Amino acid sequence: GPGQAVHGRLADASPQVREELESLSRNGLRLGRLVNTLLDFSRIEAGRMQASYEPADIAQVTAGLASVFRSAVERAGLAFEVDCSPLPEPVYLDRGLWEKVILNLLSNALKFTFEGSIRIAVRAGDGQAVVTVADTGIGVPGQEIPRLFERFHRIENPRARSNEGSGIGLALVQELIQLHGGTITVSSIDGEGTAFTVRLPFG
């Protein structure tokens, strides 16, 4: 595809040109992700988000998604704890949408965590599947927590590994979880870390 063609030419480019091309490519990907996220929102709002739910072993599915992240977390010098023990009942998941939820939450954790660990856990509680993504990152100031799931709301000047982000990741995550009949809550201590807890009904 066009991607390979660009990479072929990159090898012959001067460092400066290569840097500019890589930046363009990165920004192009970023824009593509932004457009896709906005399309997801408009589909949800029009009631046209085509979700197909199937009974799934949420622990196994989530552990599989987490494994994709392991090398990135370890490269960043962080411990990665994946604690996804089997649950008594299946959860009805749209796998593609659930993938967006987990990858969004994990990439967020990675972005704002500079030392310590990222932990993802799946357990059963109160007749629901409970999925937690917790980090020992920079945390969220208390006054920002109520606005965390608002579209386009970005916390001013947080320290982050990359300044990518549109402020719509968590808003979309919340919408996708609601499509599954679930909820997401957050608890955070500024400077100490953040934990997102997703609860999805069984059956």
Side-chain angles (χ1 to χ4, degrees), residues 65-76 78-82 106:
L65 292 169
S67 67
V68 174
F69 251 77
R70 182 170 293 280
S71 63
V73 174
E74 289 174 352
R75 258 204 315 278
L78 303 170
F80 193 34
E81 299 165 34
V82 178
L106 286 174

Side-chain angles (χ1 to χ4, degrees), residues 77-146:
L78 303 170
F80 193 34
E81 299 165 34
V82 178
D83 174 12
C84 299
S85 36
L87 299 189
E89 295 176 67
V91 171
Y92 274 76
L93 287 182
D94 176 298
R95 284 173 184 250
L97 301 186
W98 184 244
E99 180 175 298
K100 288 182 183 189
V101 167
I102 293 302
L103 298 184
N104 244 305
L105 290 175
L106 286 174
S107 53
N108 233 18
L110 181 59
K111 185 171 160 183
F112 296 113
T113 305
F114 297 90
E115 53 193 356
S117 64
I118 292 173
R119 178 170 184 267
I120 182 165
V122 177
R123 60 185 172 79
D126 295 333
Q128 293 174 307
V130 182
V131 181
T132 310
V133 176
D135 63 58
T136 57
I138 61 171
V140 180
Q143 74 275 13
E144 296 281 358
I145 287 181

